[in-house]
Amino acid sequence: MKRLVLVGGGNMGEALIAGLLRSGQWKPSQIVVTDVRPEPLERLHKNYRVGTSADNRWAVRDADIVLLAVKPQHMKHLLQDVGPALRKSQLVLSIAAGITTRLIERHLAKGSPVVRVMPNTPALVGLGAAAICRGRWAGAKHLKAAGAILKTVGTVVTVPEKDMDAVTALSGSGPAYVFFLAEAMKEAGSALGLAPHVVDSLVRQTVKGAGQLLSQSHEEPQTLRQRVTSPGGTTEAAISILEKSGTKAAFAKALKRASARSRELSQAAG
């Protein structure tokens, strides 16, 4: 039985715990969560019956897999703390945006396998999209182990590390873009005079349905959009406004900035 220690009890950490347990491939007794804050530890133990600890070094010493799930700005301090306690037989995973495998490896014993992961929050409902890349000493078996964990909460792709900043901008931050669109649709629907409960129900189901249609179809998003867009119709009128407003250009600019921010976080972590 593998033992997983998850360092950091935030939202993504909880999403992974929920997914792992829901998959049936992991039991609560195999998972330990550490955090400096007592509140998330109490909540996670109550909700999932996993082990908890406020002592990172103690928790990681017997782990087979250590998953670092702290904010990028806290990573260097964390590695200084737990690095000396880790052995090169342990697999280290990191989900911190912008933190490179090289940076992590500098704080570990030479030869330690490191896999960098960029998941996203729909992992909480088993529909996450994650990308993984390997460090210098991680091999196929380590990628397989990391992929097995991530597949319990969604889909996984393997990419070279040079692409991880772009992945962070696209799928890591991607759910927020969808939620932003839902916000805008709700505000617009309310401005048209629809009752709040009607707006809420229609927007939620429209986003859900469109997402499932895209996921289950082999057709391109453009093709699916065109099928809804009858010439001279209401959808064409709306899309025309979005195109004239430079919506696609704004998305391109936004993702470019998010990718750059990922690189900045890496440089700041040092």
Side-chain angles (χ1 to χ4, degrees), residues 8 19 31 68 77 98 100 156 207 218 248 252:
I31 302 173
L68 307 179
H77 176 76
T100 66
V156 186
V207 172
H218 296 293
K248 286 187 177 179

Side-chain angles (χ1 to χ4, degrees), residues 145-164:
I149 290 175
L150 274 298
K151 284 178 182 177
T152 66
V153 293
T155 62
V156 186
V157 298
T158 301
V159 299
E161 186 157 19
K162 67 179 179 62
D163 290 341
M164 286 298 274

